[in-house]
Each structure stands twice: as structure tokens, then as C-alpha cells.
Coordinates of all heavy atoms in Angstrom, one line a residue:
P201 N 8.0 -77.3 36.8 CA 8.2 -75.9 36.3 C 7.2 -75.0 36.9 O 6.0 -75.4 37.0 CB 8.1 -76.0 34.8 CG 7.8 -77.4 34.5 CD 7.8 -78.2 35.7
S202 N 7.6 -73.9 37.2 CA 6.6 -73.0 37.8 C 5.9 -72.2 36.7 O 6.4 -71.9 35.6 CB 7.3 -72.0 38.7 OG 8.4 -71.3 38.1
P203 N 4.6 -71.9 37.0 CA 3.9 -71.2 35.9 C 4.4 -69.8 35.8 O 5.0 -69.2 36.6 CB 2.5 -71.1 36.5 CG 2.6 -71.4 37.9 CD 3.9 -72.1 38.2
P204 N 4.3 -69.2 34.5 CA 4.8 -67.9 34.3 C 4.1 -66.9 35.2 O 2.9 -67.0 35.4 CB 4.6 -67.6 32.8 CG 3.6 -68.7 32.4 CD 3.6 -69.8 33.4
K205 N 4.8 -65.9 35.7 CA 4.2 -64.9 36.5 C 3.5 -63.9 35.6 O 4.0 -63.5 34.5 CB 5.3 -64.2 37.3 CG 5.9 -65.0 38.3 CD 6.9 -64.2 39.1 CE 7.5 -65.0 40.2 NZ 8.5 -64.3 41.0
P206 N 2.3 -63.6 36.0 CA 1.6 -62.5 35.2 C 2.4 -61.2 35.3 O 2.8 -60.8 36.3 CB 0.2 -62.4 35.8 CG 0.3 -63.1 37.2 CD 1.5 -64.0 37.2
S207 N 2.5 -60.6 34.1 CA 3.2 -59.4 34.1 C 2.3 -58.2 34.6 O 1.1 -58.3 34.4 CB 3.8 -59.1 32.7 OG 2.7 -59.0 31.8
A208 N 2.9 -57.3 35.2 CA 2.2 -56.1 35.6 C 1.7 -55.3 34.4 O 2.4 -55.2 33.4 CB 3.1 -55.3 36.5
P209 N 0.5 -54.8 34.5 CA 0.0 -54.0 33.3 C 0.9 -52.8 33.1 O 1.3 -52.1 34.0 CB -1.4 -53.6 33.8 CG -1.5 -53.8 35.2 CD -0.4 -54.8 35.6
Q210 N 1.2 -52.7 31.8 CA 2.1 -51.6 31.4 C 1.3 -50.3 31.3 O 0.2 -50.3 30.7 CB 2.7 -51.9 30.0 CG 3.6 -53.1 30.0 CD 4.9 -52.8 30.8 OE1 5.4 -51.7 30.8 NE2 5.4 -53.9 31.5
P211 N 1.8 -49.2 31.8 CA 1.0 -48.0 31.7 C 1.0 -47.5 30.2 O 2.0 -47.6 29.6 CB 1.8 -46.9 32.6 CG 3.1 -47.5 32.8 CD 3.0 -49.0 32.6
Q212 N -0.1 -47.2 29.8 CA -0.3 -46.7 28.4 C 0.1 -45.3 28.3 O -0.2 -44.5 29.1 CB -1.7 -46.9 27.9 CG -2.1 -48.4 27.8 CD -3.4 -48.6 27.2 OE1 -4.1 -47.6 26.9 NE2 -3.8 -49.8 26.9
A213 N 0.9 -45.0 27.2 CA 1.3 -43.6 27.0 C 0.1 -42.8 26.6 O -0.7 -43.2 25.7 CB 2.4 -43.5 26.0
Q214 N -0.2 -41.7 27.3 CA -1.3 -40.9 27.0 C -0.8 -39.7 26.1 O 0.3 -39.2 26.4 CB -1.9 -40.3 28.3 CG -2.6 -41.3 29.1 CD -3.2 -40.7 30.3 OE1 -3.0 -39.5 30.6 NE2 -4.0 -41.5 31.0
A215 N -1.6 -39.5 25.1 CA -1.2 -38.3 24.2 C -1.5 -37.0 24.9 O -2.5 -36.9 25.6 CB -2.1 -38.4 22.9
S216 N -0.5 -36.2 24.9 CA -0.7 -34.9 25.5 C -1.7 -34.1 24.6 O -1.6 -34.1 23.4 CB 0.6 -34.2 25.7 OG 1.2 -33.9 24.4
P217 N -2.5 -33.3 25.3 CA -3.4 -32.5 24.5 C -2.7 -31.5 23.7 O -1.6 -31.0 24.0 CB -4.3 -31.8 25.6 CG -3.5 -31.9 26.8 CD -2.6 -33.1 26.7
A218 N -3.1 -31.3 22.4 CA -2.5 -30.4 21.5 C -2.6 -29.0 22.0 O -3.7 -28.6 22.4 CB -3.1 -30.6 20.1
R219 N -1.5 -28.3 22.0 CA -1.5 -26.9 22.4 C -1.9 -26.1 21.2 O -1.3 -26.2 20.1 CB -0.2 -26.5 23.0 CG 0.1 -27.2 24.3 CD 1.4 -26.6 24.8 NE 1.8 -27.3 26.0 CZ 2.9 -27.2 26.6 NH1 3.9 -26.4 26.1 NH2 3.2 -27.9 27.7
P220 N -2.8 -25.1 21.4 CA -3.0 -24.2 20.2 C -1.8 -23.4 20.0 O -1.1 -22.9 20.9 CB -4.2 -23.4 20.7 CG -4.2 -23.5 22.2 CD -3.6 -24.8 22.5
R221 N -1.6 -23.2 18.7 CA -0.4 -22.3 18.3 C -0.8 -20.9 18.6 O -2.0 -20.5 18.4 CB -0.1 -22.5 16.8 CG 0.4 -23.8 16.5 CD 0.8 -23.9 15.1 NE 1.3 -25.2 14.7 CZ 1.8 -25.5 13.6 NH1 1.7 -24.7 12.6 NH2 2.3 -26.7 13.4
P222 N 0.1 -20.1 19.1 CA -0.2 -18.7 19.3 C -0.5 -18.0 18.0 O 0.2 -18.3 17.0 CB 1.1 -18.1 19.9 CG 2.2 -19.1 19.7 CD 1.5 -20.5 19.4
K223 N -1.5 -17.2 18.0 CA -1.9 -16.5 16.8 C -0.8 -15.4 16.5 O -0.4 -14.7 17.3 CB -3.2 -15.8 16.9 CG -4.3 -16.8 17.0 CD -5.7 -16.1 17.1 CE -6.8 -17.1 17.2 NZ -8.1 -16.5 17.2
Q224 N -0.4 -15.4 15.2 CA 0.5 -14.4 14.8 C -0.2 -13.2 14.3 O -1.3 -13.3 13.7 CB 1.4 -14.9 13.6 CG 2.3 -16.0 14.0 CD 3.1 -16.5 12.9 OE1 3.0 -16.1 11.8 NE2 4.1 -17.4 13.2
K225 N 0.3 -12.0 14.7 CA -0.3 -10.8 14.3 C -0.2 -10.6 12.8 O 0.9 -10.8 12.3 CB 0.3 -9.6 15.0 CG -0.1 -9.6 16.5 CD 0.5 -8.4 17.2 CE 0.2 -8.4 18.7 NZ 0.7 -7.3 19.4
A226 N -1.2 -10.2 12.2 CA -1.1 -9.9 10.7 C -0.4 -8.6 10.5 O -0.5 -7.7 11.3 CB -2.5 -9.8 10.1
E227 N 0.4 -8.7 9.5 CA 1.2 -7.5 9.1 C 0.2 -6.4 8.6 O -0.7 -6.8 7.8 CB 2.2 -7.8 8.0 CG 3.4 -8.6 8.5 CD 4.3 -7.9 9.5 OE1 4.5 -6.7 9.3 OE2 4.7 -8.5 10.5
P228 N 0.3 -5.2 9.0 CA -0.6 -4.2 8.4 C -0.3 -4.0 7.0 O 0.8 -4.1 6.5 CB -0.2 -2.9 9.2 CG 1.1 -3.1 9.8 CD 1.3 -4.6 9.9
T229 N -1.4 -3.8 6.2 CA -1.2 -3.7 4.8 C -0.9 -2.2 4.5 O -1.5 -1.3 5.1 CB -2.5 -4.1 4.0 OG1 -3.6 -3.3 4.6 CG2 -2.8 -5.5 4.2
R230 N 0.1 -2.1 3.7 CA 0.5 -0.7 3.3 C 0.4 -0.6 1.8 O 0.5 -1.6 1.0 CB 2.0 -0.5 3.6 CG 2.2 -0.6 5.1 CD 3.7 -0.3 5.4 NE 4.0 1.1 5.0 CZ 5.1 1.6 5.2 NH1 6.1 1.0 5.7 NH2 5.4 2.9 4.8
P231 N 0.1 0.6 1.3 CA 0.1 0.8 -0.1 C 1.4 0.5 -0.7 O 2.4 0.6 -0.1 CB -0.3 2.3 -0.3 CG -0.2 2.9 1.0 CD -0.1 1.8 2.1
P232 N 1.4 0.1 -2.0 CA 2.7 -0.2 -2.6 C 3.6 1.0 -2.6 O 3.1 2.1 -2.7 CB 2.4 -0.6 -4.0 CG 0.9 -0.3 -4.2 CD 0.3 -0.1 -2.9
A233 N 4.9 0.7 -2.4 CA 5.8 1.8 -2.4 C 5.9 2.5 -3.7 O 5.8 1.9 -4.7 CB 7.2 1.3 -2.0
A234 N 6.0 3.8 -3.7 CA 6.1 4.6 -4.9 C 7.5 4.4 -5.5 O 8.4 4.0 -4.9 CB 5.8 6.0 -4.7
S235 N 7.6 4.8 -6.8 CA 8.9 4.7 -7.4 C 9.9 5.7 -6.8 O 9.5 6.8 -6.4 CB 8.7 5.1 -8.9 OG 7.8 4.2 -9.5
K236 N 11.1 5.3 -6.7 CA 12.1 6.2 -6.3 C 12.4 7.2 -7.4 O 12.4 6.9 -8.6 CB 13.4 5.5 -6.0 CG 13.3 4.5 -4.9 CD 13.3 5.1 -3.5 CE 13.3 4.0 -2.5 NZ 12.9 4.5 -1.2
G237 N 12.5 8.5 -7.0 CA 12.8 9.4 -8.1 C 13.1 10.8 -7.5 O 13.1 11.0 -6.3
P238 N 13.2 11.8 -8.4 CA 13.6 13.1 -8.0 C 12.5 14.0 -7.4 O 12.8 15.0 -6.8 CB 14.2 13.7 -9.3 CG 13.3 13.1 -10.3 CD 13.1 11.6 -9.8
L239 N 11.3 13.6 -7.6 CA 10.2 14.4 -7.1 C 9.8 14.1 -5.7 O 9.5 12.9 -5.4 CB 9.0 14.3 -8.0 CG 9.2 14.6 -9.5 CD1 8.0 14.3 -10.3 CD2 9.8 16.0 -9.7
G240 N 9.8 15.1 -4.8 CA 9.4 14.9 -3.4 C 8.6 16.0 -3.0 O 7.8 16.6 -3.7
A241 N 8.7 16.4 -1.7 CA 7.9 17.5 -1.2 C 8.2 18.9 -1.9 O 7.4 19.8 -1.8 CB 8.2 17.7 0.3
D242 N 9.4 19.0 -2.6 CA 9.7 20.2 -3.2 C 8.8 20.6 -4.4 O 8.8 21.7 -4.8 CB 11.2 20.1 -3.8 CG 11.4 18.9 -4.7 OD1 10.8 17.9 -4.4 OD2 12.1 19.1 -5.7
V243 N 8.0 19.7 -4.9 CA 7.1 20.0 -6.0 C 5.7 20.4 -5.5 O 4.8 20.8 -6.3 CB 6.9 18.9 -7.0 CG1 8.3 18.7 -7.7 CG2 6.4 17.6 -6.4
C244 N 5.5 20.4 -4.1 CA 4.2 20.8 -3.6 C 3.9 22.3 -4.0 O 4.8 23.1 -3.9 CB 4.1 20.7 -2.1 SG 4.1 18.9 -1.6
G245 N 2.7 22.5 -4.5 CA 2.3 23.9 -4.9 C 2.5 24.1 -6.4 O 2.0 25.0 -7.0
R246 N 3.3 23.2 -7.1 CA 3.5 23.3 -8.5 C 2.3 22.9 -9.3 O 1.6 22.0 -8.9 CB 4.7 22.5 -8.9 CG 6.0 22.8 -8.2 CD 6.8 24.0 -8.8 NE 7.1 23.9 -10.3 CZ 8.2 23.5 -10.8 NH1 9.2 23.1 -10.0 NH2 8.3 23.5 -12.1
L247 N 2.2 23.4 -10.5 CA 1.1 23.0 -11.4 C 1.8 22.1 -12.4 O 2.9 22.2 -12.9 CB 0.6 24.2 -12.2 CG -0.1 25.3 -11.3 CD1 -0.6 26.5 -12.1 CD2 -1.3 24.7 -10.6
M248 N 1.0 21.0 -12.8 CA 1.5 20.0 -13.7 C 0.4 19.5 -14.6 O -0.8 19.7 -14.3 CB 2.0 18.8 -12.9 CG 3.1 19.1 -11.9 SD 3.7 17.6 -11.1 CE 4.8 16.9 -12.4
N249 N 0.8 19.0 -15.7 CA -0.2 18.2 -16.6 C 0.1 16.7 -16.4 O 1.3 16.3 -16.6 CB 0.0 18.6 -18.1 CG -0.5 20.0 -18.3 OD1 -1.5 20.4 -17.7 ND2 0.1 20.7 -19.2
L250 N -0.9 16.0 -16.1 CA -0.8 14.5 -15.9 C -1.6 13.9 -16.9 O -2.8 14.2 -17.2 CB -1.3 14.1 -14.5 CG -0.6 14.7 -13.3 CD1 -1.2 14.1 -12.0 CD2 0.9 14.5 -13.3
T251 N -1.1 12.9 -17.6 CA -1.8 12.1 -18.6 C -2.1 10.7 -18.0 O -1.2 10.0 -17.6 CB -1.0 11.9 -19.9 OG1 -0.7 13.2 -20.4 CG2 -1.8 11.2 -20.9
F252 N -3.4 10.4 -17.9 CA -3.9 9.2 -17.3 C -4.2 8.2 -18.5 O -4.7 8.7 -19.5 CB -5.1 9.4 -16.5 CG -4.8 10.1 -15.2 CD1 -5.0 11.5 -15.1 CD2 -4.4 9.5 -14.1 CE1 -4.7 12.2 -14.0 CE2 -4.1 10.2 -12.9 CZ -4.2 11.6 -12.9
A253 N -4.0 6.9 -18.3 CA -4.2 6.0 -19.4 C -5.7 5.6 -19.6 O -6.1 5.5 -20.7 CB -3.4 4.7 -19.1
K254 N -6.4 5.4 -18.5 CA -7.8 4.9 -18.6 C -8.7 5.8 -17.8 O -8.6 5.8 -16.5 CB -7.9 3.5 -18.1 CG -7.2 2.5 -19.0 CD -7.4 1.1 -18.4 CE -6.6 0.1 -19.3 NZ -6.7 -1.2 -18.9
P255 N -9.6 6.5 -18.4 CA -9.7 6.8 -19.8 C -8.5 7.8 -20.2 O -8.1 8.5 -19.3 CB -11.0 7.5 -20.0 CG -11.3 8.1 -18.6 CD -10.6 7.2 -17.6
K256 N -8.1 7.7 -21.4 CA -7.0 8.5 -21.8 C -7.4 10.0 -21.8 O -8.3 10.4 -22.5 CB -6.6 8.1 -23.3 CG -5.5 8.9 -23.9 CD -4.1 8.3 -23.5 CE -3.0 9.0 -24.3 NZ -1.7 8.6 -23.8
R257 N -6.7 10.7 -20.9 CA -7.0 12.1 -20.7 C -5.8 12.8 -20.1 O -5.1 12.2 -19.3 CB -8.3 12.4 -19.9 CG -8.2 12.0 -18.5 CD -9.5 12.1 -17.8 NE -9.5 12.1 -16.4 CZ -9.2 11.1 -15.6 NH1 -8.9 9.9 -16.1 NH2 -9.1 11.2 -14.2
T258 N -5.6 14.1 -20.4 CA -4.6 14.9 -19.7 C -5.3 15.9 -18.9 O -6.3 16.6 -19.3 CB -3.7 15.6 -20.8 OG1 -3.1 14.6 -21.6 CG2 -2.7 16.4 -20.1
V259 N -4.9 16.0 -17.6 CA -5.5 16.9 -16.6 C -4.5 17.8 -16.0 O -3.4 17.5 -15.8 CB -6.1 16.0 -15.5 CG1 -6.8 16.8 -14.5 CG2 -7.0 14.9 -16.0
H260 N -4.9 19.1 -15.9 CA -4.1 20.1 -15.3 C -4.3 20.1 -13.8 O -5.5 20.2 -13.3 CB -4.5 21.5 -15.8 CG -3.5 22.6 -15.6 ND1 -2.2 22.6 -16.0 CD2 -3.7 23.8 -14.9 CE1 -1.6 23.7 -15.6 NE2 -2.5 24.4 -14.9
V261 N -3.3 19.8 -13.0 CA -3.4 19.6 -11.5 C -2.4 20.5 -10.8 O -1.4 20.9 -11.3 CB -3.2 18.2 -11.1 CG1 -4.3 17.3 -11.8 CG2 -1.8 17.7 -11.4
R262 N -2.7 20.6 -9.5 CA -1.7 21.2 -8.6 C -1.3 20.1 -7.6 O -2.2 19.4 -7.1 CB -2.4 22.4 -7.8 CG -1.5 23.0 -6.7 CD -2.1 24.1 -5.9 NE -2.0 25.3 -6.8 CZ -3.0 26.0 -7.3 NH1 -4.3 25.6 -7.0 NH2 -2.9 27.0 -8.1
V263 N 0.0 20.0 -7.3 CA 0.5 19.1 -6.3 C 0.2 19.7 -4.9 O 0.7 20.8 -4.7 CB 2.0 18.8 -6.5 CG1 2.4 17.8 -5.5 CG2 2.2 18.3 -7.9
V264 N -0.6 19.1 -4.1 CA -1.0 19.7 -2.8 C -0.3 19.1 -1.6 O -0.2 19.6 -0.6 CB -2.5 19.7 -2.6 CG1 -3.2 20.6 -3.6 CG2 -3.1 18.3 -2.7
Q265 N 0.3 17.8 -1.8 CA 0.9 17.2 -0.6 C 1.8 16.1 -1.1 O 1.6 15.4 -2.1 CB -0.2 16.6 0.3 CG 0.3 15.9 1.5 CD -0.8 15.3 2.3 OE1 -2.0 15.3 1.9 NE2 -0.5 14.8 3.5
Y266 N 2.9 15.9 -0.3 CA 3.8 14.7 -0.5 C 3.6 13.8 0.7 O 3.8 14.3 1.8 CB 5.2 15.2 -0.7 CG 6.2 14.0 -0.8 CD1 6.2 13.2 -1.9 CD2 7.2 13.8 0.2 CE1 7.1 12.1 -2.0 CE2 8.1 12.8 0.1 CZ 8.0 11.9 -1.0 OH 8.9 10.9 -1.1
V267 N 3.3 12.5 0.5 CA 3.1 11.6 1.6 C 4.4 10.8 1.7 O 4.7 9.9 0.9 CB 1.9 10.6 1.3 CG1 1.7 9.7 2.5 CG2 0.7 11.4 1.0
E268 N 5.2 11.2 2.7 CA 6.6 10.7 2.8 C 6.6 9.2 3.1 O 7.5 8.5 2.6 CB 7.3 11.4 3.9 CG 8.8 11.2 3.9 CD 9.6 12.1 4.8 OE1 9.1 13.2 5.1 OE2 10.7 11.7 5.2
D269 N 5.6 8.7 3.8 CA 5.6 7.2 4.1 C 5.5 6.4 2.9 O 6.0 5.3 2.8 CB 4.4 6.9 5.1 CG 4.6 7.5 6.5 OD1 5.7 7.9 6.8 OD2 3.6 7.5 7.2
T270 N 4.7 6.8 1.9 CA 4.5 6.0 0.7 C 5.2 6.5 -0.5 O 5.4 5.8 -1.5 CB 3.0 6.0 0.4 OG1 2.6 7.4 0.1 CG2 2.1 5.4 1.5
G271 N 5.7 7.8 -0.5 CA 6.4 8.4 -1.6 C 5.4 8.8 -2.7 O 5.8 9.2 -3.8
L272 N 4.1 8.8 -2.3 CA 3.1 9.3 -3.3 C 2.8 10.8 -3.1 O 3.1 11.4 -2.1 CB 1.8 8.5 -3.1 CG 1.9 7.0 -3.3 CD1 0.6 6.3 -3.0 CD2 2.3 6.7 -4.8
H273 N 2.2 11.4 -4.1 CA 1.8 12.8 -4.1 C 0.3 12.9 -4.2 O -0.3 12.1 -4.9 CB 2.4 13.6 -5.3 CG 3.9 13.7 -5.2 ND1 4.8 12.7 -5.6 CD2 4.7 14.8 -4.7 CE1 6.0 13.1 -5.4 NE2 6.0 14.3 -4.9
V274 N -0.2 13.9 -3.5 CA -1.7 14.1 -3.7 C -1.8 15.3 -4.6 O -1.1 16.3 -4.4 CB -2.3 14.5 -2.3 CG1 -3.8 14.8 -2.5 CG2 -2.1 13.4 -1.3
V275 N -2.6 15.1 -5.7 CA -2.8 16.2 -6.6 C -4.3 16.6 -6.6 O -5.2 15.8 -6.3 CB -2.4 15.8 -8.1 CG1 -0.9 15.5 -8.1 CG2 -3.2 14.6 -8.5
S276 N -4.6 17.8 -7.0 CA -6.0 18.3 -7.0 C -6.2 19.2 -8.2 O -5.3 19.9 -8.7 CB -6.2 19.1 -5.8 OG -7.5 19.8 -5.8
T277 N -7.4 19.1 -8.7 CA -7.9 20.0 -9.8 C -8.7 21.2 -9.3 O -9.1 22.0 -10.1 CB -8.7 19.3 -10.8 OG1 -9.9 18.7 -10.2 CG2 -7.9 18.1 -11.5
R278 N -8.8 21.3 -8.0 CA -9.7 22.3 -7.4 C -9.1 23.7 -7.7 O -7.9 24.0 -7.6 CB -9.8 22.1 -5.9 CG -10.7 23.1 -5.2 CD -10.9 22.8 -3.8 NE -12.0 23.6 -3.3 CZ -12.3 23.7 -2.0 NH1 -11.7 23.0 -1.2 NH2 -13.2 24.5 -1.6
G279 N -10.0 24.5 -8.2 CA -9.6 25.9 -8.5 C -8.8 26.1 -9.8 O -8.3 27.2 -10.0
L280 N -8.8 25.1 -10.6 CA -8.0 25.2 -11.9 C -8.9 25.1 -13.1 O -8.5 24.8 -14.2 CB -7.0 24.0 -11.9 CG -5.9 24.1 -10.8 CD1 -5.0 22.8 -10.9 CD2 -5.1 25.3 -10.9
G281 N -10.2 25.5 -12.9 CA -11.1 25.6 -14.1 C -11.7 24.3 -14.4 O -12.4 24.2 -15.5
A282 N -11.6 23.3 -13.6 CA -12.3 22.0 -13.8 C -13.8 22.3 -13.7 O -14.2 23.1 -12.8 CB -11.8 20.9 -12.9
R283 N -14.6 21.6 -14.5 CA -16.1 21.8 -14.3 C -16.5 21.3 -12.9 O -15.9 20.4 -12.4 CB -16.8 20.9 -15.4 CG -16.6 21.4 -16.8 CD -17.5 20.6 -17.7 NE -17.4 19.2 -17.5 CZ -16.9 18.3 -18.3 NH1 -16.5 18.8 -19.5 NH2 -16.9 17.1 -18.0
K284 N -17.5 22.0 -12.4 CA -18.0 21.7 -11.1 C -18.4 20.2 -11.1 O -19.1 19.8 -12.1 CB -19.1 22.6 -10.7 CG -19.3 22.7 -9.3 CD -20.2 23.8 -8.9 CE -19.9 24.2 -7.5 NZ -20.2 25.5 -7.2
G285 N -18.1 19.4 -10.1 CA -18.4 18.0 -10.1 C -17.4 17.1 -10.7 O -17.4 15.9 -10.5
S286 N -16.4 17.7 -11.5 CA -15.3 16.9 -12.0 C -14.0 17.2 -11.3 O -13.0 16.6 -11.7 CB -15.2 17.2 -13.5 OG -14.7 18.5 -13.7
E287 N -14.1 18.0 -10.2 CA -12.8 18.2 -9.5 C -12.5 17.0 -8.7 O -13.4 16.2 -8.3 CB -13.1 19.4 -8.5 CG -13.3 20.7 -9.2 CD -13.5 21.9 -8.2 OE1 -13.9 21.6 -7.0 OE2 -13.3 23.0 -8.5
F288 N -11.2 16.8 -8.5 CA -10.8 15.6 -7.7 C -9.5 15.8 -6.9 O -8.7 16.7 -7.3 CB -10.7 14.4 -8.6 CG -9.5 14.4 -9.5 CD1 -8.3 13.9 -9.2 CD2 -9.7 14.9 -10.8 CE1 -7.2 14.0 -10.1 CE2 -8.7 14.9 -11.7 CZ -7.4 14.4 -11.4
N289 N -9.3 15.1 -5.9 CA -8.0 15.0 -5.2 C -7.7 13.5 -5.3 O -8.5 12.6 -5.1 CB -8.2 15.3 -3.7 CG -8.2 16.7 -3.4 OD1 -8.0 17.6 -4.2 ND2 -8.5 17.1 -2.2
E290 N -6.4 13.2 -5.7 CA -6.0 11.8 -5.9 C -4.6 11.6 -5.5 O -3.8 12.5 -5.7 CB -6.3 11.5 -7.3 CG -6.1 10.0 -7.6 CD -6.6 9.7 -9.1 OE1 -7.6 10.3 -9.5 OE2 -6.0 8.8 -9.7
Q291 N -4.2 10.4 -5.0 CA -2.8 10.1 -4.7 C -2.3 9.5 -6.0 O -2.9 8.5 -6.5 CB -2.7 9.1 -3.6 CG -2.8 9.8 -2.2 CD -2.4 8.8 -1.1 OE1 -1.9 7.7 -1.3 NE2 -2.5 9.3 0.1
V292 N -1.1 10.0 -6.4 CA -0.5 9.4 -7.6 C 1.0 9.2 -7.4 O 1.6 9.9 -6.6 CB -0.8 10.3 -8.9 CG1 -2.2 10.4 -9.2 CG2 -0.2 11.7 -8.7
D293 N 1.6 8.4 -8.2 CA 3.0 8.1 -8.2 C 3.6 9.0 -9.2 O 3.8 8.7 -10.4 CB 3.3 6.7 -8.5 CG 4.8 6.3 -8.3 OD1 5.6 7.3 -8.2 OD2 5.1 5.1 -8.3
L294 N 3.9 10.3 -8.8 CA 4.4 11.3 -9.8 C 5.7 10.9 -10.3 O 6.0 11.1 -11.5 CB 4.6 12.6 -9.1 CG 3.4 13.5 -9.0 CD1 3.7 14.9 -8.4 CD2 2.7 13.7 -10.3
N295 N 6.6 10.2 -9.6 CA 7.9 9.8 -10.1 C 7.8 8.8 -11.2 O 8.5 8.9 -12.2 CB 8.8 9.3 -9.0 CG 9.3 10.4 -8.1 OD1 10.0 11.3 -8.6 ND2 9.0 10.4 -6.8
A296 N 6.8 7.8 -11.1 CA 6.6 6.9 -12.1 C 6.0 7.5 -13.4 O 6.4 7.3 -14.5 CB 5.7 5.7 -11.7
M297 N 5.1 8.4 -13.1 CA 4.5 9.2 -14.3 C 5.5 10.1 -14.9 O 5.5 10.2 -16.2 CB 3.2 10.0 -13.8 CG 2.1 9.1 -13.3 SD 0.7 10.1 -12.8 CE -0.1 10.4 -14.4
F298 N 6.3 10.7 -14.2 CA 7.4 11.6 -14.7 C 8.4 10.8 -15.6 O 8.7 11.2 -16.7 CB 8.1 12.3 -13.6 CG 9.0 13.4 -14.0 CD1 8.5 14.6 -14.5 CD2 10.4 13.2 -13.9 CE1 9.4 15.6 -14.9 CE2 11.2 14.2 -14.3 CZ 10.7 15.4 -14.8
A299 N 8.7 9.6 -15.1 CA 9.7 8.8 -15.8 C 9.2 8.2 -17.1 O 9.9 8.0 -18.0 CB 10.1 7.6 -14.9
T300 N 7.8 8.1 -17.2 CA 7.2 7.6 -18.5 C 6.7 8.7 -19.3 O 6.1 8.4 -20.4 CB 6.1 6.6 -18.2 OG1 5.1 7.3 -17.4 CG2 6.6 5.4 -17.4
G301 N 7.0 10.0 -18.9 CA 6.5 11.1 -19.7 C 5.1 11.5 -19.5 O 4.5 12.3 -20.3
N302 N 4.4 10.9 -18.5 CA 3.0 11.2 -18.3 C 2.8 12.3 -17.3 O 1.6 12.6 -16.9 CB 2.3 9.9 -17.8 CG 2.2 8.9 -19.0 OD1 1.9 9.3 -20.1 ND2 2.4 7.7 -18.7
A303 N 3.9 12.9 -16.8 CA 3.8 14.0 -15.9 C 4.7 15.1 -16.4 O 5.9 14.8 -16.6 CB 4.1 13.7 -14.5
V304 N 4.2 16.3 -16.7 CA 5.0 17.4 -17.2 C 4.9 18.6 -16.3 O 3.7 19.0 -16.0 CB 4.5 17.7 -18.7 CG1 5.4 18.9 -19.2 CG2 4.6 16.5 -19.6
L305 N 6.0 19.1 -15.9 CA 6.0 20.3 -15.0 C 5.7 21.5 -15.8 O 6.0 21.7 -16.9 CB 7.4 20.5 -14.4 CG 7.7 19.5 -13.3 CD1 9.2 19.6 -12.9 CD2 6.9 19.6 -12.1

């Protein structure tokens, strides 16, 4: 009998280098969408009373801007008799406040 022939060395499978995953672009953060409602740019210039929960207070404001992208309104107390230093401009969800009775035209 003839001796067994030595087998040729088998090539070893090489692991392919791991490819880095492409980085995904982060979604830009946007402010939460405002409530859908009847109040839009048409209330700009109007005077309103807004009742805030914390601290509980009612403030006389003028609507100075409607931000269409977010549905929010910018309100200001400037020139409405607010004490100096207590004037403010703030973005608020007038539709949500109006729906809960916290915004009065």
C-alpha cells in the first residue's frame, strides 16, 4: 500500500476588516409643535390677558409676532404699564391657552 499523500495546506479564510458604518446625520431639534387652533397671525397687535400657572398670575400682553414654523406667538408686556425690569417677551402657545381659558382677548 502506498503511503497517504500529504494534503496541500488549506487557505484559511481571512476575516474582512469591519467597515465603519456611515454616520447618520442627527435630525435638527425643533420646538414642539403648537396646538392647532383658530389663532394665527391675525391676532398680532391685539391685547390679551394671559393666565400663567407657575407662578399663578395674569398678565396683560400684546401679541407681537406669529411664528408660522412652530405655530407659537410672541407676546410682550413692553409699554403696557409693567414695572421696569418686569417687562418680558415670550413665546407662548396661544391656541392651547385659549382652549383652556387661560388666554382672553
Side-chain angles (χ1 to χ4, degrees):
S202 56
K205 292 184 179 180
S207 61
Q210 296 292 325
Q212 293 183 354
Q214 292 181 348
S216 62
R219 291 184 184 171
R221 292 183 179 182
K223 292 184 179 180
Q224 293 181 353
K225 292 183 179 179
E227 290 291 320
T229 55
R230 296 183 64 177
S235 304
K236 299 281 185 197
L239 304 177
D242 55 320
V243 295
C244 290
R246 301 277 307 260
L247 298 175
M248 302 182 80
N249 287 326
L250 301 183
T251 302
F252 293 93
K254 292 182 183 178
K256 180 85 171 171
R257 70 190 195 284
T258 299
V259 183
H260 194 61
V261 299
R262 174 177 285 116
V263 181
V264 295
Q265 182 183 5
Y266 175 65
V267 183
E268 195 167 336
D269 291 345
T270 62
L272 299 174
H273 292 81
V274 178
V275 297
S276 174
T277 59
R278 187 172 185 189
L280 298 176
R283 290 188 313 248
K284 204 166 203 154
S286 66
E287 293 179 340
F288 68 89
N289 282 352
E290 191 170 325
Q291 280 193 4
V292 297
D293 186 348
L294 276 185
N295 285 301
M297 294 182 81
F298 189 73
T300 59
N302 291 317
V304 180
L305 291 171

